[in-house]
Amino acid sequence: MGSKGKPVLDFFQTLSEASMIIMNWVVMIAPIAVVFLIPGKILSIEDFKVMIARLGIYVMTVFIGLIFHGFVTLPLIYFACTRKSPYKIISKIGPAIVTACGTSSSTATVPTTIQCLDRIGIDQKVSRFVAPIGATINMDGIALYEALGAIFIIQLRGLNFSLARIIAISVTCTISCIGAAGLPNGGYVMLVVVLNSVGVPAEDVMLIIAIDCLVDRFRTAINIIGDALCAGIISHYTKDTVDHVDLQDAASTLLGVKDVEKNTKD
């Protein structure tokens, strides 16, 4: 709309800048808020030793689940689909796994994941399509972590839920993680919403956040392994199609060049 639309454009640009300023305030306040929030929750615990033991069992359960899922379940799916060894791919995405452990962010790991997939031989059309989508949708690690977190909080509160209701809560947590942000601690909003929806106080989420710095790195690594194996499966099934499309593009380009040369001669 030219100059007529400039006031609207200025409004949204100003709104964006104001939002960034507010977010910077939140980021600056967050460390101070956490310092007071987590110790306050710890001080309210009556038996500290029992709580530490419960948290230890919870973390151990999460690690066992992540390791089993990342190195047994996902490789079995890959092998069933391609009849190839999945560990060849896992052994060659070391830089992506290290980046995931360092940043705790699937989104920040996308460039490294794409580079690793290119070295493996995954078609670029597949890797550049799967990796960004996987960073947003494929949240295996956080889905497992938060489903267990919901059950842990329910048991911590001493609530008596039926098996069907526990399964429903776990499935809800898993599904809600599909839209979780690929950032550190990106899925806690979903967990709080799910717990509040079933009438469970979400205050005890602070205990999980206190130990999340360690666990978050490993569950992000599992997400990256899932992305890489998924790219391998899609590349396996679309290899002939992609090659056919590439040949068509090359043929079209060659025919176009010949037409240009013919017209030039004419």
Side-chain angles (χ1 to χ4, degrees), residues 125 235-248:
K125 293 180 180 179
S235 178
H236 174 77
Y237 281 109
T238 61
K239 184 178 185 301
D240 296 334
T241 304
V242 171
D243 291 343
H244 181 65
V245 171
D246 291 340
L247 288 174
Q248 284 184 334

Side-chain angles (χ1 to χ4, degrees), residues 18-242:
S19 300
M20 290 303 299
I21 291 173
I22 294 173
M23 286 301 299
N24 287 333
W25 291 346
V26 174
V27 170
M28 292 174 64
I29 295 173
I32 302 173
V34 171
V35 165
F36 285 94
L37 189 63
I38 294 178
K41 186 62 184 176
I42 293 176
L43 290 173
S44 65
I45 298 173
E46 296 180 358
D47 195 334
F48 190 74
K49 291 183 179 180
V50 173
M51 180 56 63
I52 291 298
R54 291 177 178 176
L55 283 174
I57 294 174
Y58 168 64
V59 172
M60 182 180 67
T61 305
V62 171
F63 273 118
I64 291 174
L66 291 175
I67 293 172
F68 185 85
H69 182 67
F71 295 96
V72 178
T73 306
L74 292 177
L76 282 176
I77 295 174
Y78 179 86
F79 178 77
C81 294
T82 64
R83 293 296 188 271
K84 297 178 181 178
S85 174
Y87 298 104
K88 290 182 179 179
I89 291 182
I90 296 176
S91 63
K92 294 180 180 179
I93 59 170
I97 294 176
V98 171
T99 304
C101 292
T103 62
S104 299
S105 171
S106 300
T107 304
T109 314
V110 168
T112 309
T113 303
I114 292 176
Q115 290 177 0
C116 292
L117 293 177
D118 290 344
R119 293 194 193 100
I120 293 171
I122 303 296
D123 190 270
Q124 291 186 357
K125 293 180 180 179
V126 175
S127 63
R128 281 152 180 74
F129 177 77
V130 173
I133 292 182
T136 306
I137 297 177
N138 180 30
M139 296 292 177
D140 296 0
I142 195 169
L144 185 146
Y145 180 71
E146 292 194 5
L148 289 176
I151 297 173
F152 172 74
I153 292 174
I154 290 171
Q155 293 178 343
L156 194 65
R157 288 280 178 175
L159 302 174
N160 294 320
F161 282 9
S162 64
L163 178 60
R165 195 172 181 186
I166 291 290
I167 294 174
I169 293 172
S170 300
V171 172
T172 305
C173 286
T174 302
I175 295 175
S176 68
C177 290
I178 294 175
L183 303 171
N185 304 329
Y188 283 111
V189 175
M190 306 294 183
L191 179 58
V192 171
V193 170
V194 171
L195 291 176
N196 284 329
S197 66
V198 296
V200 178
E203 299 173 0
D204 293 329
V205 173
M206 298 303 108
L207 291 174
I208 300 178
I209 294 177
I211 59 173
D212 185 64
C213 181
L214 174 64
V215 182
D216 191 20
R217 304 175 187 279
F218 288 94
R219 68 174 187 238
T220 304
I222 298 301
N223 293 341
I224 300 304
I225 292 174
D227 294 343
L229 294 179
C230 178
I233 292 173
I234 294 176
S235 178
H236 174 77
Y237 281 109
T238 61
K239 184 178 185 301
D240 296 334
T241 304
V242 171

